[in-house]
Amino acid sequence: QVQLVESGGGVVQPGGSLRLSCAVSDFTFSSFGMHWVRQAPGKGLEWVAFIRYDGSDKYYVDSVKGRFSISRDNSKNTLFLQMSSLRTEDTAVYYCAKGPPGAGSYHPYYFDSWGQGALVTVSS
Amino acid sequence: DIVMTQFPDSLAVSLGERATINCKSSQNVLYSSNSKNYLAWYQQKPGQPPKLLIYWASTRESGVPDRFSGSGSGTDFTLTISRLQAEDVAVYYCQQYYIPPLTFGGGTKVEIK
């Protein structure tokens, strides 16, 4: 049973920074592309970022480019999202999600497993 | 960016009846070299993360009941729940992965009539 557990959420002031972590287990983390997807309260889903299985390539939605950075530590089976210059519109539940096997390890595809999410609230 | 439009926003269906959810993409998501539609469907129940139902527009994820089916090609897609059950009450999202940024439809809320 694939497990993804996010941590690091909380309340931060506008302009502040926060680092989310996603600890995974029960699959070979180093073989799969990984994503962050967010959901503002009462709203729909928004893809945020993708990182290739080996960390060699990354993709971002325009609204977070230059402010957020996705990374991974394959030796610790952990995915990260470093968020800076946070805005009120970044308030959301942030989900860590796993890409499918095969080409999904190299390119952002769909999400076959999800964590329970971490709430990030940006407010003064 | 590819815009995904779902309709209706919500629908109420009687138990055992069919529910049909539509999703339209602003650009073609059929990749001609492999004839695959880069389209997935998810189910999200209240307080839970989304769950993958369908990928490649019509391939059911392992463990998903066969009352869920996906169809369509190019820009127009449909998720069908053939015989609605109480546990199917949820919001359903389509998502394209033809080209980044990955984008979702706005969601369709399915309720029991």
Side-chain angles (χ1 to χ4, degrees), chain A residues 1-58:
Chain A
Q1 182 84 1
V2 168
Q3 291 202 43
L4 305 98
V5 180
E6 300 92 341
S7 61
V11 180
V12 61
Q13 291 189 338
S17 299
L18 209 58
R19 187 197 201 200
L20 300 181
S21 300
C22 173
V24 313
S25 58
D26 296 321
F27 70 99
T28 306
F29 178 66
S30 59
S31 296
F32 292 90
M34 296 294 296
H35 302 258
W36 289 98
V37 179
R38 67 184 179 183
Q39 187 169 35
K43 302 298 184 182
L45 300 166
E46 180 183 37
W47 171 79
V48 174
F50 167 83
I51 185 168
R52 194 171 278 190
Y53 72 102
D54 59 357
S56 64
D57 204 5
K58 305 172 186 180

Side-chain angles (χ1 to χ4, degrees), chain B residues 12-53:
Chain B
V13 176
S14 300
L15 289 172
E17 296 300 307
R18 177 185 300 253
T20 301
I21 301 167
N22 301 289
C23 174
K24 188 174 183 67
S25 58
S26 62
Q27 296 175 223
N28 177 42
V29 299
L30 171 63
Y31 193 34
S32 56
S33 67
N34 60 11
S35 299
K36 287 187 172 183
N37 286 283
Y38 284 53
L39 190 285
W41 289 97
Y42 302 86
Q43 175 193 65
Q44 187 177 30
K45 297 180 179 180
Q48 295 185 19
K51 173 188 173 183
L52 176 66
L53 296 177

